[in-house]
């Protein structure tokens, strides 16, 4: 709870001088990298789908002459956002079937650079780091459910480096729609015990960007 309050405080403090606000949602396809107490990978764990929601702000770092195609975002921007992600997986064999359903809440920060712009379309690359923690999660084995908040390898702080590509459609000087793809990896910042879990995630996102200054 203390970490959540800190993340929210940072988010609203940064929003004071924000230039654009955005809201994104979409689909996660997550692959678990799970190692048991012997250090062996579990090859039966398969990727599964989930959803995500992201709310953030973008601040210009480049102040050259602006245009409709690049200017309201600036060529180079710093972005910060709160994100809620589902990282899910399935697995099993002919005897046992199991799955993980998790929700992680976190703060994302990064840079976005516009490499192509026109009156109606713009293209950008972005990358950065995220910091996430388990909000809630369930492990299902056969007919039994287990709370992952009691599982040390799923808890704690996760660091999530990320890269992405975004295509923006400019409907007016104030509003754009965006579609993009991100790749990220969630790595535990504090390994606890001999078991370990990390996630590789491909994200297809859709969103709206609104000029607010």
């Amino acid at each position: 709870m203390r970490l959540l309050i800190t993340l929210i405080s940072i988010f609203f403090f940064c929003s004071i001088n924000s230039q654009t606000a955005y809201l994104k949602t979409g689909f996660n396809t997550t692959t678990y990298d799970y190692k048991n107490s012997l250090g062996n990978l579990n090859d039966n764990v398969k990727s599964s789908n989930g959803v995500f929601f992201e709310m953030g702000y973008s601040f210009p770092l480049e102040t050259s002459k602006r245009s409709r195609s690049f200017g309201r975002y600036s060529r180079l921007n710093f972005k910060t956002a709160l994100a809620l992600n589902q990282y899910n997986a399935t697995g099993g064999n002919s005897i046992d079937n199991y799955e993980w359903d998790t929700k992680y809440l976190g703060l994302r920060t990064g840079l976005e650079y516009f490499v192509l712009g026109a009156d109606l379309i713009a293209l950008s690359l972005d990358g950065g780091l995220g910091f996430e923690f388990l909000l809630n999660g369930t492990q299902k084995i056969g007919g039994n459910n287990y709370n992952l908040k009691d599982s040390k390898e799923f808890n704690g702080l996760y660091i999530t480096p990320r890269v992405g590509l975004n295509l923006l459609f400019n409907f007016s000087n104030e509003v754009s729609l965006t579609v993009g793809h991100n790749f990220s990896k969630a790595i535990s910042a504090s390994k606890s015990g001999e078991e370990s879990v990390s996630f590789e995630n491909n994200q297809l996102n859709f969103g709206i960007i609104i000029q607010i200054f």
Side-chain angles (χ1 to χ4, degrees):
M1 180 60 69
R2 182 177 300 174
L3 177 59
L4 176 59
I5 294 174
T6 301
L7 292 176
I8 294 174
S9 299
I10 293 173
F11 176 77
F12 282 106
F13 175 78
C14 291
S15 69
I16 294 174
N17 295 311
S18 59
Q19 302 297 314
T20 61
Y22 64 89
L23 180 65
K24 292 185 178 182
T25 186
F27 306 98
N28 289 334
T29 300
T30 306
T31 301
Y32 275 45
D33 183 3
Y34 175 75
K35 293 182 180 180
N36 61 24
S37 58
L38 299 177
N40 298 320
L41 292 173
N42 188 338
D43 296 329
N44 290 323
V45 179
K46 306 299 181 182
S47 62
S48 186
N49 298 323
V51 298
F52 85 96
F53 301 93
E54 182 175 328
M55 179 178 63
Y57 289 83
S58 178
F59 312 88
L61 297 179
E62 180 264 344
T63 58
S64 63
K65 184 178 179 181
R66 297 188 170 194
S67 66
R68 181 181 176 188
S69 57
F70 288 118
R72 66 176 181 273
Y73 317 110
S74 152
R75 281 289 186 112
L76 182 64
N77 299 271
F78 175 79
K79 299 168 67 176
T80 182
L82 286 176
L84 178 65
N85 280 285
Q86 287 184 333
Y87 297 135
N88 301 331
T90 62
N93 49 44
S94 58
I95 299 175
D96 289 321
N97 294 317
Y98 42 86
E99 61 184 76
W100 290 276
D101 296 318
T102 66
K103 292 184 179 69
Y104 279 78
L105 181 65
L107 175 71
R108 289 180 171 179
T109 61
L111 297 176
E112 181 176 29
Y113 182 75
F114 282 82
V115 296
L116 177 65
D119 284 346
L120 296 179
I121 297 176
L123 181 69
S124 71
L125 300 173
D126 65 13
L129 286 175
F131 304 91
E132 302 182 356
F133 65 94
L134 180 66
L135 192 62
N136 59 65
T138 303
Q139 182 182 38
K140 301 177 182 179
I141 302 178
N144 298 317
N145 294 337
Y146 301 93
N147 187 353
L148 289 177
K149 293 293 287 184
D150 301 325
S151 180
K152 292 182 179 180
E153 60 268 24
F154 281 86
N155 281 282
L157 183 66
Y158 276 78
I159 300 173
T160 56
R162 181 181 66 156
V163 294
L165 178 68
N166 307 290
L167 184 63
L168 295 92
F169 302 92
N170 303 322
F171 283 90
S172 71
N173 286 334
E174 291 78 29
V175 178
S176 297
L177 297 183
T178 178
V179 59
H181 177 266
N182 295 319
F183 174 79
S184 65
K185 186 174 180 67
I187 306 167
S188 176
S190 56
K191 182 179 178 181
S192 58
E194 297 179 350
E195 295 180 285
S196 65
V197 177
S198 62
F199 320 113
E200 291 185 354
N201 187 57
N202 284 281
Q203 187 177 83
L204 178 63
N205 62 73
F206 308 91
I208 183 170
I209 300 172
I210 301 174
Q211 180 179 323
I212 60 175
F213 70 91

PDB file of all heavy atoms in Angstrom, residues 94-126:
ATOM      1  N   SER A  94      -0.663 -34.340 -19.530  1.00  0.00           N
ATOM      2  CA  SER A  94      -1.837 -35.208 -19.644  1.00  0.00           C
ATOM      3  C   SER A  94      -2.488 -35.501 -18.295  1.00  0.00           C
ATOM      4  O   SER A  94      -3.624 -35.980 -18.233  1.00  0.00           O
ATOM      5  CB  SER A  94      -1.434 -36.535 -20.315  1.00  0.00           C
ATOM      6  OG  SER A  94      -0.415 -37.183 -19.573  1.00  0.00           O
ATOM      7  N   ILE A  95      -1.788 -35.205 -17.223  1.00  0.00           N
ATOM      8  CA  ILE A  95      -2.316 -35.504 -15.878  1.00  0.00           C
ATOM      9  C   ILE A  95      -2.861 -34.247 -15.207  1.00  0.00           C
ATOM     10  O   ILE A  95      -3.974 -34.240 -14.690  1.00  0.00           O
ATOM     11  CB  ILE A  95      -1.217 -36.143 -15.007  1.00  0.00           C
ATOM     12  CG1 ILE A  95      -0.742 -37.452 -15.638  1.00  0.00           C
ATOM     13  CG2 ILE A  95      -1.737 -36.388 -13.589  1.00  0.00           C
ATOM     14  CD1 ILE A  95       0.416 -38.095 -14.911  1.00  0.00           C
ATOM     15  N   ASP A  96      -2.067 -33.187 -15.211  1.00  0.00           N
ATOM     16  CA  ASP A  96      -2.448 -31.959 -14.518  1.00  0.00           C
ATOM     17  C   ASP A  96      -2.480 -30.779 -15.483  1.00  0.00           C
ATOM     18  O   ASP A  96      -1.571 -30.622 -16.314  1.00  0.00           O
ATOM     19  CB  ASP A  96      -1.466 -31.632 -13.382  1.00  0.00           C
ATOM     20  CG  ASP A  96      -1.610 -32.593 -12.217  1.00  0.00           C
ATOM     21  OD1 ASP A  96      -2.744 -32.954 -11.897  1.00  0.00           O
ATOM     22  OD2 ASP A  96      -0.569 -32.981 -11.651  1.00  0.00           O
ATOM     23  N   ASN A  97      -3.513 -29.952 -15.356  1.00  0.00           N
ATOM     24  CA  ASN A  97      -3.598 -28.685 -16.069  1.00  0.00           C
ATOM     25  C   ASN A  97      -3.548 -27.556 -15.054  1.00  0.00           C
ATOM     26  O   ASN A  97      -4.118 -27.658 -13.969  1.00  0.00           O
ATOM     27  CB  ASN A  97      -4.901 -28.588 -16.881  1.00  0.00           C
ATOM     28  CG  ASN A  97      -4.935 -29.595 -18.008  1.00  0.00           C
ATOM     29  OD1 ASN A  97      -3.945 -29.781 -18.693  1.00  0.00           O
ATOM     30  ND2 ASN A  97      -6.078 -30.232 -18.203  1.00  0.00           N
ATOM     31  N   TYR A  98      -2.860 -26.470 -15.414  1.00  0.00           N
ATOM     32  CA  TYR A  98      -2.789 -25.351 -14.491  1.00  0.00           C
ATOM     33  C   TYR A  98      -2.682 -24.051 -15.270  1.00  0.00           C
ATOM     34  O   TYR A  98      -2.368 -24.028 -16.464  1.00  0.00           O
ATOM     35  CB  TYR A  98      -1.591 -25.491 -13.540  1.00  0.00           C
ATOM     36  CG  TYR A  98      -0.305 -25.963 -14.178  1.00  0.00           C
ATOM     37  CD1 TYR A  98       0.569 -25.068 -14.771  1.00  0.00           C
ATOM     38  CD2 TYR A  98       0.033 -27.318 -14.187  1.00  0.00           C
ATOM     39  CE1 TYR A  98       1.748 -25.493 -15.354  1.00  0.00           C
ATOM     40  CE2 TYR A  98       1.209 -27.758 -14.771  1.00  0.00           C
ATOM     41  CZ  TYR A  98       2.058 -26.842 -15.353  1.00  0.00           C
ATOM     42  OH  TYR A  98       3.217 -27.286 -15.945  1.00  0.00           O
ATOM     43  N   GLU A  99      -2.987 -22.954 -14.586  1.00  0.00           N
ATOM     44  CA  GLU A  99      -2.907 -21.634 -15.194  1.00  0.00           C
ATOM     45  C   GLU A  99      -2.663 -20.586 -14.126  1.00  0.00           C
ATOM     46  O   GLU A  99      -2.976 -20.782 -12.950  1.00  0.00           O
ATOM     47  CB  GLU A  99      -4.173 -21.310 -15.984  1.00  0.00           C
ATOM     48  CG  GLU A  99      -5.449 -21.277 -15.149  1.00  0.00           C
ATOM     49  CD  GLU A  99      -6.672 -21.048 -16.019  1.00  0.00           C
ATOM     50  OE1 GLU A  99      -7.113 -21.991 -16.702  1.00  0.00           O
ATOM     51  OE2 GLU A  99      -7.169 -19.900 -16.006  1.00  0.00           O
ATOM     52  N   TRP A 100      -2.078 -19.470 -14.581  1.00  0.00           N
ATOM     53  CA  TRP A 100      -1.861 -18.312 -13.722  1.00  0.00           C
ATOM     54  C   TRP A 100      -2.642 -17.130 -14.287  1.00  0.00           C
ATOM     55  O   TRP A 100      -2.564 -16.838 -15.484  1.00  0.00           O
ATOM     56  CB  TRP A 100      -0.374 -17.936 -13.665  1.00  0.00           C
ATOM     57  CG  TRP A 100       0.489 -18.897 -12.927  1.00  0.00           C
ATOM     58  CD1 TRP A 100       0.700 -18.949 -11.583  1.00  0.00           C
ATOM     59  CD2 TRP A 100       1.298 -19.939 -13.500  1.00  0.00           C
ATOM     60  NE1 TRP A 100       1.582 -19.967 -11.271  1.00  0.00           N
ATOM     61  CE2 TRP A 100       1.967 -20.588 -12.436  1.00  0.00           C
ATOM     62  CE3 TRP A 100       1.517 -20.398 -14.802  1.00  0.00           C
ATOM     63  CZ2 TRP A 100       2.835 -21.645 -12.628  1.00  0.00           C
ATOM     64  CZ3 TRP A 100       2.377 -21.459 -14.997  1.00  0.00           C
ATOM     65  CH2 TRP A 100       3.022 -22.073 -13.923  1.00  0.00           C
ATOM     66  N   ASP A 101      -3.397 -16.454 -13.428  1.00  0.00           N
ATOM     67  CA  ASP A 101      -4.089 -15.215 -13.776  1.00  0.00           C
ATOM     68  C   ASP A 101      -3.620 -14.135 -12.801  1.00  0.00           C
ATOM     69  O   ASP A 101      -3.887 -14.234 -11.598  1.00  0.00           O
ATOM     70  CB  ASP A 101      -5.614 -15.379 -13.678  1.00  0.00           C
ATOM     71  CG  ASP A 101      -6.140 -16.396 -14.676  1.00  0.00           C
ATOM     72  OD1 ASP A 101      -5.679 -16.394 -15.827  1.00  0.00           O
ATOM     73  OD2 ASP A 101      -7.012 -17.202 -14.293  1.00  0.00           O
ATOM     74  N   THR A 102      -2.916 -13.126 -13.310  1.00  0.00           N
ATOM     75  CA  THR A 102      -2.339 -12.106 -12.431  1.00  0.00           C
ATOM     76  C   THR A 102      -2.660 -10.707 -12.922  1.00  0.00           C
ATOM     77  O   THR A 102      -2.848 -10.471 -14.114  1.00  0.00           O
ATOM     78  CB  THR A 102      -0.802 -12.244 -12.343  1.00  0.00           C
ATOM     79  OG1 THR A 102      -0.225 -11.946 -13.615  1.00  0.00           O
ATOM     80  CG2 THR A 102      -0.406 -13.656 -11.927  1.00  0.00           C
ATOM     81  N   LYS A 103      -2.695  -9.762 -11.987  1.00  0.00           N
ATOM     82  CA  LYS A 103      -2.830  -8.332 -12.287  1.00  0.00           C
ATOM     83  C   LYS A 103      -1.690  -7.608 -11.588  1.00  0.00           C
ATOM     84  O   LYS A 103      -1.512  -7.733 -10.371  1.00  0.00           O
ATOM     85  CB  LYS A 103      -4.170  -7.785 -11.806  1.00  0.00           C
ATOM     86  CG  LYS A 103      -5.376  -8.312 -12.553  1.00  0.00           C
ATOM     87  CD  LYS A 103      -6.650  -7.623 -12.067  1.00  0.00           C
ATOM     88  CE  LYS A 103      -7.882  -8.124 -12.820  1.00  0.00           C
ATOM     89  NZ  LYS A 103      -8.185  -9.527 -12.459  1.00  0.00           N
ATOM     90  N   TYR A 104      -0.916  -6.835 -12.367  1.00  0.00           N
ATOM     91  CA  TYR A 104       0.201  -6.059 -11.836  1.00  0.00           C
ATOM     92  C   TYR A 104      -0.064  -4.571 -12.055  1.00  0.00           C
ATOM     93  O   TYR A 104      -0.466  -4.152 -13.141  1.00  0.00           O
ATOM     94  CB  TYR A 104       1.509  -6.446 -12.523  1.00  0.00           C
ATOM     95  CG  TYR A 104       2.131  -7.711 -11.969  1.00  0.00           C
ATOM     96  CD1 TYR A 104       1.642  -8.963 -12.332  1.00  0.00           C
ATOM     97  CD2 TYR A 104       3.184  -7.653 -11.060  1.00  0.00           C
ATOM     98  CE1 TYR A 104       2.198 -10.121 -11.826  1.00  0.00           C
ATOM     99  CE2 TYR A 104       3.753  -8.809 -10.552  1.00  0.00           C
ATOM    100  CZ  TYR A 104       3.254 -10.039 -10.931  1.00  0.00           C
ATOM    101  OH  TYR A 104       3.808 -11.187 -10.427  1.00  0.00           O
ATOM    102  N   LEU A 105       0.165  -3.781 -11.018  1.00  0.00           N
ATOM    103  CA  LEU A 105       0.005  -2.336 -11.073  1.00  0.00           C
ATOM    104  C   LEU A 105       1.372  -1.691 -11.027  1.00  0.00           C
ATOM    105  O   LEU A 105       2.237  -2.118 -10.244  1.00  0.00           O
ATOM    106  CB  LEU A 105      -0.845  -1.844  -9.901  1.00  0.00           C
ATOM    107  CG  LEU A 105      -1.121  -0.338  -9.826  1.00  0.00           C
ATOM    108  CD1 LEU A 105      -1.972   0.114 -11.004  1.00  0.00           C
ATOM    109  CD2 LEU A 105      -1.795   0.005  -8.498  1.00  0.00           C
ATOM    110  N   GLY A 106       1.587  -0.655 -11.842  1.00  0.00           N
ATOM    111  CA  GLY A 106       2.909  -0.055 -11.819  1.00  0.00           C
ATOM    112  C   GLY A 106       2.995   1.309 -12.457  1.00  0.00           C
ATOM    113  O   GLY A 106       2.020   1.854 -12.997  1.00  0.00           O
ATOM    114  N   LEU A 107       4.186   1.860 -12.384  1.00  0.00           N
ATOM    115  CA  LEU A 107       4.533   3.149 -12.966  1.00  0.00           C
ATOM    116  C   LEU A 107       5.462   2.917 -14.147  1.00  0.00           C
ATOM    117  O   LEU A 107       6.431   2.161 -14.044  1.00  0.00           O
ATOM    118  CB  LEU A 107       5.229   4.038 -11.929  1.00  0.00           C
ATOM    119  CG  LEU A 107       5.762   5.380 -12.424  1.00  0.00           C
ATOM    120  CD1 LEU A 107       4.611   6.326 -12.734  1.00  0.00           C
ATOM    121  CD2 LEU A 107       6.700   6.002 -11.393  1.00  0.00           C
ATOM    122  N   ARG A 108       5.156   3.568 -15.282  1.00  0.00           N
ATOM    123  CA  ARG A 108       6.009   3.478 -16.461  1.00  0.00           C
ATOM    124  C   ARG A 108       6.600   4.846 -16.764  1.00  0.00           C
ATOM    125  O   ARG A 108       5.911   5.864 -16.681  1.00  0.00           O
ATOM    126  CB  ARG A 108       5.211   2.996 -17.679  1.00  0.00           C
ATOM    127  CG  ARG A 108       4.807   1.536 -17.606  1.00  0.00           C
ATOM    128  CD  ARG A 108       4.018   1.123 -18.827  1.00  0.00           C
ATOM    129  NE  ARG A 108       3.819  -0.323 -18.865  1.00  0.00           N
ATOM    130  CZ  ARG A 108       3.138  -0.955 -19.808  1.00  0.00           C
ATOM    131  NH1 ARG A 108       2.574  -0.263 -20.795  1.00  0.00           N
ATOM    132  NH2 ARG A 108       3.018  -2.267 -19.773  1.00  0.00           N
ATOM    133  N   THR A 109       7.868   4.867 -17.135  1.00  0.00           N
ATOM    134  CA  THR A 109       8.525   6.096 -17.578  1.00  0.00           C
ATOM    135  C   THR A 109       9.332   5.776 -18.832  1.00  0.00           C
ATOM    136  O   THR A 109       9.762   4.644 -19.035  1.00  0.00           O
ATOM    137  CB  THR A 109       9.464   6.662 -16.506  1.00  0.00           C
ATOM    138  OG1 THR A 109      10.489   5.695 -16.212  1.00  0.00           O
ATOM    139  CG2 THR A 109       8.713   6.982 -15.224  1.00  0.00           C
ATOM    140  N   GLY A 110       9.544   6.780 -19.678  1.00  0.00           N
ATOM    141  CA  GLY A 110      10.325   6.524 -20.874  1.00  0.00           C
ATOM    142  C   GLY A 110      10.376   7.728 -21.793  1.00  0.00           C
ATOM    143  O   GLY A 110       9.859   8.803 -21.485  1.00  0.00           O
ATOM    144  N   LEU A 111      11.042   7.527 -22.938  1.00  0.00           N
ATOM    145  CA  LEU A 111      11.175   8.550 -23.959  1.00  0.00           C
ATOM    146  C   LEU A 111      10.469   8.103 -25.231  1.00  0.00           C
ATOM    147  O   LEU A 111      10.471   6.913 -25.565  1.00  0.00           O
ATOM    148  CB  LEU A 111      12.649   8.819 -24.260  1.00  0.00           C
ATOM    149  CG  LEU A 111      13.499   9.370 -23.116  1.00  0.00           C
ATOM    150  CD1 LEU A 111      14.951   9.486 -23.558  1.00  0.00           C
ATOM    151  CD2 LEU A 111      12.978  10.731 -22.644  1.00  0.00           C
ATOM    152  N   GLU A 112       9.881   9.056 -25.931  1.00  0.00           N
ATOM    153  CA  GLU A 112       9.254   8.789 -27.222  1.00  0.00           C
ATOM    154  C   GLU A 112       9.840   9.742 -28.248  1.00  0.00           C
ATOM    155  O   GLU A 112       9.920  10.951 -28.019  1.00  0.00           O
ATOM    156  CB  GLU A 112       7.743   8.972 -27.140  1.00  0.00           C
ATOM    157  CG  GLU A 112       7.034   8.689 -28.460  1.00  0.00           C
ATOM    158  CD  GLU A 112       5.523   8.776 -28.348  1.00  0.00           C
ATOM    159  OE1 GLU A 112       5.052   9.556 -27.474  1.00  0.00           O
ATOM    160  OE2 GLU A 112       4.817   8.082 -29.095  1.00  0.00           O
ATOM    161  N   TYR A 113      10.242   9.187 -29.405  1.00  0.00           N
ATOM    162  CA  TYR A 113      10.837   9.994 -30.466  1.00  0.00           C
ATOM    163  C   TYR A 113      10.049   9.797 -31.758  1.00  0.00           C
ATOM    164  O   TYR A 113       9.830   8.668 -32.200  1.00  0.00           O
ATOM    165  CB  TYR A 113      12.297   9.602 -30.691  1.00  0.00           C
ATOM    166  CG  TYR A 113      12.973  10.442 -31.746  1.00  0.00           C
ATOM    167  CD1 TYR A 113      13.363  11.748 -31.479  1.00  0.00           C
ATOM    168  CD2 TYR A 113      13.217   9.930 -33.017  1.00  0.00           C
ATOM    169  CE1 TYR A 113      13.978  12.535 -32.441  1.00  0.00           C
ATOM    170  CE2 TYR A 113      13.832  10.708 -33.992  1.00  0.00           C
ATOM    171  CZ  TYR A 113      14.215  12.010 -33.696  1.00  0.00           C
ATOM    172  OH  TYR A 113      14.810  12.777 -34.652  1.00  0.00           O
ATOM    173  N   PHE A 114       9.616  10.918 -32.371  1.00  0.00           N
ATOM    174  CA  PHE A 114       8.855  10.859 -33.610  1.00  0.00           C
ATOM    175  C   PHE A 114       9.816  10.840 -34.797  1.00  0.00           C
ATOM    176  O   PHE A 114      10.584  11.775 -35.004  1.00  0.00           O
ATOM    177  CB  PHE A 114       7.901  12.049 -33.691  1.00  0.00           C
ATOM    178  CG  PHE A 114       6.677  11.874 -32.838  1.00  0.00           C
ATOM    179  CD1 PHE A 114       6.710  12.143 -31.479  1.00  0.00           C
ATOM    180  CD2 PHE A 114       5.497  11.409 -33.391  1.00  0.00           C
ATOM    181  CE1 PHE A 114       5.596  11.968 -30.684  1.00  0.00           C
ATOM    182  CE2 PHE A 114       4.370  11.223 -32.608  1.00  0.00           C
ATOM    183  CZ  PHE A 114       4.418  11.499 -31.254  1.00  0.00           C
ATOM    184  N   VAL A 115       9.755   9.759 -35.571  1.00  0.00           N
ATOM    185  CA  VAL A 115      10.663   9.580 -36.700  1.00  0.00           C
ATOM    186  C   VAL A 115      10.013   9.946 -38.022  1.00  0.00           C
ATOM    187  O   VAL A 115      10.699  10.094 -39.033  1.00  0.00           O
ATOM    188  CB  VAL A 115      11.166   8.126 -36.763  1.00  0.00           C
ATOM    189  CG1 VAL A 115      11.984   7.788 -35.535  1.00  0.00           C
ATOM    190  CG2 VAL A 115      10.004   7.139 -36.913  1.00  0.00           C
ATOM    191  N   LEU A 116       8.703  10.070 -38.047  1.00  0.00           N
ATOM    192  CA  LEU A 116       7.985  10.378 -39.272  1.00  0.00           C
ATOM    193  C   LEU A 116       6.725  11.140 -38.926  1.00  0.00           C
ATOM    194  O   LEU A 116       6.032  10.809 -37.958  1.00  0.00           O
ATOM    195  CB  LEU A 116       7.614   9.084 -40.016  1.00  0.00           C
ATOM    196  CG  LEU A 116       6.794   9.226 -41.301  1.00  0.00           C
ATOM    197  CD1 LEU A 116       7.614   9.958 -42.362  1.00  0.00           C
ATOM    198  CD2 LEU A 116       6.358   7.854 -41.812  1.00  0.00           C
ATOM    199  N   GLY A 117       6.412  12.171 -39.715  1.00  0.00           N
ATOM    200  CA  GLY A 117       5.211  12.932 -39.446  1.00  0.00           C
ATOM    201  C   GLY A 117       4.589  13.481 -40.712  1.00  0.00           C
ATOM    202  O   GLY A 117       5.271  13.773 -41.683  1.00  0.00           O
ATOM    203  N   ALA A 118       3.284  13.619 -40.713  1.00  0.00           N
ATOM    204  CA  ALA A 118       2.521  14.249 -41.783  1.00  0.00           C
ATOM    205  C   ALA A 118       1.286  14.843 -41.144  1.00  0.00           C
ATOM    206  O   ALA A 118       1.048  14.706 -39.948  1.00  0.00           O
ATOM    207  CB  ALA A 118       2.164  13.234 -42.867  1.00  0.00           C
ATOM    208  N   ASP A 119       0.474  15.533 -41.959  1.00  0.00           N
ATOM    209  CA  ASP A 119      -0.708  16.171 -41.392  1.00  0.00           C
ATOM    210  C   ASP A 119      -1.655  15.179 -40.745  1.00  0.00           C
ATOM    211  O   ASP A 119      -2.300  15.480 -39.746  1.00  0.00           O
ATOM    212  CB  ASP A 119      -1.455  16.949 -42.476  1.00  0.00           C
ATOM    213  CG  ASP A 119      -0.758  18.250 -42.815  1.00  0.00           C
ATOM    214  OD1 ASP A 119       0.124  18.659 -42.044  1.00  0.00           O
ATOM    215  OD2 ASP A 119      -1.100  18.837 -43.857  1.00  0.00           O
ATOM    216  N   LEU A 120      -1.736  13.982 -41.311  1.00  0.00           N
ATOM    217  CA  LEU A 120      -2.698  13.009 -40.806  1.00  0.00           C
ATOM    218  C   LEU A 120      -2.063  11.844 -40.056  1.00  0.00           C
ATOM    219  O   LEU A 120      -2.722  11.213 -39.238  1.00  0.00           O
ATOM    220  CB  LEU A 120      -3.546  12.452 -41.960  1.00  0.00           C
ATOM    221  CG  LEU A 120      -4.433  13.461 -42.680  1.00  0.00           C
ATOM    222  CD1 LEU A 120      -5.185  12.779 -43.814  1.00  0.00           C
ATOM    223  CD2 LEU A 120      -5.408  14.122 -41.723  1.00  0.00           C
ATOM    224  N   ILE A 121      -0.789  11.535 -40.313  1.00  0.00           N
ATOM    225  CA  ILE A 121      -0.172  10.338 -39.750  1.00  0.00           C
ATOM    226  C   ILE A 121       1.199  10.684 -39.182  1.00  0.00           C
ATOM    227  O   ILE A 121       1.951  11.471 -39.767  1.00  0.00           O
ATOM    228  CB  ILE A 121      -0.029   9.229 -40.815  1.00  0.00           C
ATOM    229  CG1 ILE A 121      -1.401   8.785 -41.316  1.00  0.00           C
ATOM    230  CG2 ILE A 121       0.724   8.035 -40.251  1.00  0.00           C
ATOM    231  CD1 ILE A 121      -1.336   7.763 -42.432  1.00  0.00           C
ATOM    232  N   ALA A 122       1.540  10.084 -38.043  1.00  0.00           N
ATOM    233  CA  ALA A 122       2.868  10.208 -37.451  1.00  0.00           C
ATOM    234  C   ALA A 122       3.315   8.842 -36.944  1.00  0.00           C
ATOM    235  O   ALA A 122       2.485   7.988 -36.610  1.00  0.00           O
ATOM    236  CB  ALA A 122       2.863  11.234 -36.319  1.00  0.00           C
ATOM    237  N   LEU A 123       4.622   8.647 -36.892  1.00  0.00           N
ATOM    238  CA  LEU A 123       5.207   7.379 -36.450  1.00  0.00           C
ATOM    239  C   LEU A 123       6.252   7.663 -35.390  1.00  0.00           C
ATOM    240  O   LEU A 123       7.101   8.543 -35.563  1.00  0.00           O
ATOM    241  CB  LEU A 123       5.844   6.645 -37.627  1.00  0.00           C
ATOM    242  CG  LEU A 123       6.484   5.289 -37.348  1.00  0.00           C
ATOM    243  CD1 LEU A 123       5.412   4.253 -37.003  1.00  0.00           C
ATOM    244  CD2 LEU A 123       7.303   4.824 -38.544  1.00  0.00           C
ATOM    245  N   SER A 124       6.206   6.920 -34.283  1.00  0.00           N
ATOM    246  CA  SER A 124       7.160   7.161 -33.201  1.00  0.00           C
ATOM    247  C   SER A 124       7.716   5.861 -32.655  1.00  0.00           C
ATOM    248  O   SER A 124       7.104   4.798 -32.749  1.00  0.00           O
ATOM    249  CB  SER A 124       6.497   7.949 -32.060  1.00  0.00           C
ATOM    250  OG  SER A 124       5.571   7.140 -31.353  1.00  0.00           O
ATOM    251  N   LEU A 125       8.909   5.972 -32.079  1.00  0.00           N
ATOM    252  CA  LEU A 125       9.546   4.893 -31.328  1.00  0.00           C
ATOM    253  C   LEU A 125       9.601   5.317 -29.871  1.00  0.00           C
ATOM    254  O   LEU A 125       9.837   6.488 -29.560  1.00  0.00           O
ATOM    255  CB  LEU A 125      10.960   4.631 -31.842  1.00  0.00           C
ATOM    256  CG  LEU A 125      11.116   4.222 -33.301  1.00  0.00           C
ATOM    257  CD1 LEU A 125      12.595   4.184 -33.677  1.00  0.00           C
ATOM    258  CD2 LEU A 125      10.473   2.867 -33.550  1.00  0.00           C
ATOM    259  N   ASP A 126       9.396   4.372 -28.961  1.00  0.00           N
ATOM    260  CA  ASP A 126       9.557   4.703 -27.552  1.00  0.00           C
ATOM    261  C   ASP A 126      10.217   3.562 -26.802  1.00  0.00           C
ATOM    262  O   ASP A 126      10.287   2.428 -27.270  1.00  0.00           O
ATOM    263  CB  ASP A 126       8.236   5.119 -26.901  1.00  0.00           C
ATOM    264  CG  ASP A 126       7.217   4.000 -26.845  1.00  0.00           C
ATOM    265  OD1 ASP A 126       7.579   2.835 -27.084  1.00  0.00           O
ATOM    266  OD2 ASP A 126       6.048   4.289 -26.553  1.00  0.00           O
TER     267      ASP A 126
END
